Amino acid sequence: MAKIIFPEDFIWGAATSSYQIEGAFNEDGKGESIWDRFSHTPGKIENGDTGDIACDHYHLYREDIELMKEIGIRSYRFSTSWPRILPEGKGRVNQKGLDFYKRLVDNLLKANIRPMITLYHWDLPQALQDKGGWTNRDTAKYFAEYARLMFEEFNGLVDLWVTHNEPWVVAFEGHAFGNHAPGTKDFKTALQVAHHLLLSHGMAVDIFREEDLPGEIGITLNLTPAYPAGDSEKDVKAASLLDDYINAWFLSPVFKGSYPEELHHIYEQNLGAFTTQPGDMDIISRDIDFLGINYYSRMVVRHKPGDNLFNAEVVKMEDRPSTEMGWEIYPQGLYDILVRVNKEYTDKPLYITENGAAFDDKLTEEGKIHDEKRINYLGDHFKQAYKALKDGVPLRGYYVWSLMDNFEWAYGYSKRFGLIYVDYENGNRRFLKDSALWYREVIEKGQVEA
Ligand SMILES: N=[N+]=NCCCCNC(=O)[C@@H]1[C@H]2[C@H](O)[C@@H](O)[C@H](O)[C@@H](CO)[C@@H]12
């Protein structure tokens, strides 16, 4: 491959989320979130970790912006904590909570770093969960009102808005498998939740248009392309169904206004219909300005009769390199999914809103972290993104997950994804990893070594 030179205006960024980095879980009037409740429930999180303090970003955000400047990122994707702003999820506004995000955005703009706000990255106000959470259609309406407040408060300051982060994870990890908050375990509930998440996305887009705001709005989906383990018809079928379950179940409603037909039929036959209302799919498929794609890995799938509704199982790729999460390192999958989304779903601009890896990072005596595995992982994925760009995919930017090590949900602090090392045991000191210094070069030159 010839020299890899990205466009001058390519948006190189890094991403985080509120519950994973902020801490101050009950400070300055913040309301309880379902992740506060879940992490305080014994047995849910590795080592009994919680987000009570996390990276203490709520107090250290100025230092973190200095580090963003040192790395040279052009944009910073973060999420706002709904219960920090609306402690009960609706009604009363917690001005101190809102002021934190005002200070954060002001300081980002002063640092010439473009904010991208994700309105929902999993930390639902517990008060709404107490009323059914995302199983309750009213939550979609309350989300849209929270979005309206944010659009009005940050009008002219923030021009990149993401409604939801990974509705698949919220619906299935949170409501089918119980690994995430609120921890329920019912597949049909997950389908109902997915529908209300998508509905709330469309309602927020309507308000964004109504408020006639400058900027762009989109949604972020975790897309994990599925590949058949063999070329048998049954393997191909199994892979296609799992691909629909994770990817098309969200891409299709947003861009085509309908759920994938065959899978929808399988669900209805086996589980009965979840509740929808006339017009829902029109709302869900409102025109958006971009799609955010979170890519980490692929799935290799083979036919397995009777194992689940899909007659499929994911094959563990033992002989392939993988990250600390056990996810196969498969950069080609990023190219494949970018091209497929552009070909099959939308010609709208795309952002890679998350891509990164957890490795076993060690802090040396000299305060260095030699994370060459992360440099190789990112470099290989940047090359695939570049290939998609050259093949005509309208890729606008790339946000590395993550800016800093943080609370990795059920894994607690045991997994490190950051460009910045966080020394949790010693006052949350921050150290730039070698990958941060490497990333700085890539951004400065717009080049990746071939
Ligand atoms: N096989 N395989 N699988 C890949 C499946 C990925 C599903 N998990 C995610 O995408 C989460 C996303 C989240 O936004 C962030 O909050 C998390 O910290 C990162 C890292 O976990 C990722």
Side-chain angles (χ1 to χ4, degrees):
M1 185 183 285
K3 248 191 180 325
I4 295 165
I5 302 173
F6 281 81
E8 281 280 303
D9 61 353
F10 194 72
I11 299 174
W12 294 105
T16 65
S17 85
S18 46
Y19 189 76
Q20 292 182 274
I21 68 166
E22 287 178 1
F25 83 105
N26 64 350
E27 204 168 312
D28 286 347
K30 173 181 168 290
E32 185 183 14
S33 78
I34 58 173
W35 269 95
D36 293 318
R37 181 69 61 92
F38 194 72
S39 70
H40 292 162
T41 308
K44 299 295 185 189
I45 311 295
E46 201 164 320
N47 305 321
D49 290 342
T50 74
D52 290 1
I53 299 171
C55 308
D56 199 21
H57 177 70
Y58 186 78
H59 300 109
L60 300 175
Y61 70 94
R62 285 186 179 82
E63 177 185 342
D64 291 333
I65 292 173
E66 286 308 307
L67 291 170
M68 292 182 214
K69 280 163 68 176
E70 211 175 322
I71 299 170
I73 60 170
R74 296 171 175 168
S75 181
Y76 172 51
R77 174 179 177 242
F78 62 98
S79 76
T80 48
S81 168
W82 185 349
R84 195 178 292 284
I85 293 156
L86 290 159
E88 291 79 39
K90 57 187 169 68
R92 179 176 68 87
V93 173
N94 173 34
Q95 193 56 45
K96 282 186 177 176
L98 203 47
D99 290 347
F100 164 66
Y101 294 110
K102 286 285 183 84
R103 292 195 302 276
L104 177 63
V105 166
D106 286 349
N107 282 277
L108 285 168
L109 294 173
K110 280 192 194 106
N112 198 21
I113 296 170
R114 192 175 178 189
M116 175 188 272
I117 286 186
T118 304
L119 289 167
Y120 189 74
H121 200 126
W122 309 357
D123 42 0
L124 185 74
Q126 182 63 42
L128 295 182
Q129 185 61 40
D130 295 343
K131 297 181 170 73
W134 288 109
T135 67
N136 183 343
R137 188 182 174 93
D138 288 346
T139 301
K141 183 178 59 183
Y142 300 139
F143 172 78
E145 285 316 310
Y146 155 56
R148 183 193 303 278
L149 172 70
M150 297 302 285
F151 295 150
E152 290 172 356
E153 288 290 336
F154 293 92
N155 181 0
L157 299 171
V158 175
D159 62 1
L160 289 171
W161 293 94
V162 174
T163 54
H164 280 285
N165 180 75
E166 303 198 340
W168 180 90
V169 174
V170 177
F172 291 94
E173 293 294 355
H175 298 82
F177 314 133
N179 300 323
H180 283 193
T184 50
K185 297 183 182 180
D186 178 85
F187 200 92
K188 189 179 175 186
T189 300
L191 293 171
Q192 185 66 72
V193 162
H195 186 73
H196 289 158
L197 288 166
L198 287 168
L199 181 67
S200 72
H201 157 75
M203 289 174 165
V205 172
D206 276 348
I207 289 173
F208 188 82
R209 302 298 182 218
E210 198 184 292
E211 298 268 333
D212 193 21
L213 296 159
E216 303 165 20
I217 189 163
I219 187 170
T220 278
L221 302 177
N222 56 290
L223 299 181
T224 303
Y227 300 76
D231 50 15
S232 74
E233 208 175 292
K234 286 189 171 180
D235 279 1
V236 170
K237 182 74 199 153
S240 164
L241 278 180
L242 277 199
D243 199 286
D244 284 354
Y245 154 60
I246 289 195
N247 306 316
W249 195 256
F250 296 88
L251 285 165
S252 185
V254 168
F255 291 110
K256 298 180 177 176
S258 63
Y259 286 105
E261 195 178 337
E262 183 183 4
L263 188 52
H264 198 184
H265 183 68
I266 289 171
Y267 288 153
E268 283 207 336
Q269 290 291 307
N270 290 277
L271 305 169
F274 51 86
T275 307
T276 64
Q277 287 186 13
D280 281 0
M281 300 317 286
D282 293 337
I283 296 170
I284 290 172
S285 58
R286 294 292 200 244
D287 196 35
I288 53 178
D289 303 306
F290 67 85
L291 174 69
I293 295 175
N294 289 359
Y295 175 80
Y296 286 92
S297 184
R298 67 166 176 175
M299 291 185 284
V300 177
V301 179
R302 67 171 160 236
H303 173 68
K304 181 147 192 235
D307 209 31
N308 46 45
L309 290 177
F310 316 101
N311 288 317
E313 69 171 346
V314 177
V315 177
K316 186 88 183 81
M317 306 301 281
E318 303 292 358
D319 57 342
R320 294 271 306 154
S322 62
T323 69
E324 282 296 304
M325 298 295 281
W327 300 343
E328 181 194 358
I329 298 174
Y330 191 70
Q332 164 85 29
L334 177 58
Y335 172 84
D336 291 347
I337 200 69
L338 286 168
V339 169
R340 177 162 30 126
V341 165
N342 176 251
K343 208 165 115 213
E344 293 177 20
Y345 290 97
T346 178
D347 56 9
K348 296 282 187 184
L350 305 177
Y351 289 85
I352 295 164
T353 35
E354 287 179 33
N355 171 252
F359 291 112
D360 187 17
D361 301 327
K362 292 285 181 255
L363 177 63
T364 68
E365 296 288 307
E366 304 76 39
K368 303 286 183 203
I369 300 91
H370 302 305
D371 59 336
E372 55 278 0
K373 282 185 184 173
R374 183 170 290 104
I375 292 171
N376 294 334
Y377 177 98
L378 291 174
D380 289 343
H381 285 80
F382 289 177
K383 288 172 192 169
Q384 293 298 327
Y386 182 77
K387 191 161 165 261
L389 249 177
K390 297 306 283 178
D391 286 356
V393 172
L395 182 64
R396 293 282 185 274
Y398 202 121
Y399 293 80
V400 171
W401 185 268
S402 176
L403 173 72
M404 68 180 85
D405 296 336
N406 58 55
F407 178 83
E408 180 47 41
W409 309 112
Y411 293 91
Y413 298 99
S414 68
K415 308 294 180 195
R416 293 179 180 271
F417 277 86
L419 293 164
I420 298 169
Y421 185 96
V422 179
D423 187 3
Y424 302 111
E425 273 73 44
N426 296 289
N428 278 309
R429 295 183 301 168
R430 277 87 156 122
F431 297 88
L432 292 186
K433 299 179 188 176
D434 289 355
S435 56
L437 306 174
W438 169 84
Y439 192 33
R440 178 169 61 191
E441 295 289 299
V442 170
I443 296 169
E444 270 170 14
K445 296 182 194 148
Q447 277 189 35
V448 182
E449 290 315 310

